[in-house]
Structures are given as structure tokens and as C-alpha cells.
Amino acid sequence: MLRPKIPTMPTPTGIVTPPAIEPTAVIQHTPAPAQAAPAPVVPARPTIQLTPGTALALVGAGTAVLLVVGAVLVSLLLAVAITAGSVAVCALVLRSLLTTQGKRR
């Protein structure tokens, strides 16, 4: 029913030249003598060691971030609730004004 139209590749117009291929020289490598012992592998980055003080600081920072995010979300929810309440009060006042005007006629 609804099928997407897949575009086709456009055919080239004009003269198309094949890419130039440059010959490369073939170099024979002689195998190097094997080393006796491989060098020790050094890690790319140092390992992080957590001390009790560092772990406590990380837990404190995580708690602080969680409290700040929670406070922001609660304040946003409170703002939405206050806005909804004020809109509801405005709607009641407008309905009251419109019904009293209809009775006066």
C-alpha cells in the first residue's frame, strides 16, 4: 500500500575514465631473528586505586547530585500544579461571570 520509492543510481553522463593504477615495487623482507623474551606490556592508562576517602567523596558527590536533581524535578512538578490550579480558578470565575450574564438578559 504505502511503499517507499527507492531512488536508483544515476547513470554517468559523459566520458568516464577508470582510476589510474600506479605500479608498486615488490620488496622482499628477510625475517628478523626472533627475540629471546618479549618486553613487558605497559598499560595505556594507569589504573585508578580507590582509597576509603576517595570512595567516600564519590558517594557524597553522587548524593549531592541526586538531591539537586530531585529538588529541580519536585520544583517543576510544583510549578505545573500551581499553574493548573490557577487555570482552574480562572475557568471557574469565567464560567461564573458568563452564567450570571446569561441570567440578567
Side-chain angles (χ1 to χ4, degrees), residues 83-95:
T83 304
S86 65
V87 167
V89 169
C90 289
L92 288 176
V93 169
L94 284 174
R95 188 175 78 173

Side-chain angles (χ1 to χ4, degrees), residues 4-79:
K5 293 182 180 179
I6 300 172
T8 58
M9 289 292 293
T11 56
T13 57
I15 301 172
V16 179
T17 59
I21 299 173
E22 297 180 9
T24 57
V26 177
I27 300 173
Q28 295 286 335
H29 290 287
T30 57
Q35 294 179 349
V41 177
V42 179
R45 57 184 181 172
T47 57
I48 299 174
Q49 295 179 355
L50 290 178
T51 61
T54 309
L56 189 62
L58 286 174
V59 169
T63 304
V65 167
L66 187 67
L67 288 175
V68 168
V69 169
V72 168
L73 290 177
V74 167
S75 64
L76 285 172
L77 183 63
L78 184 62

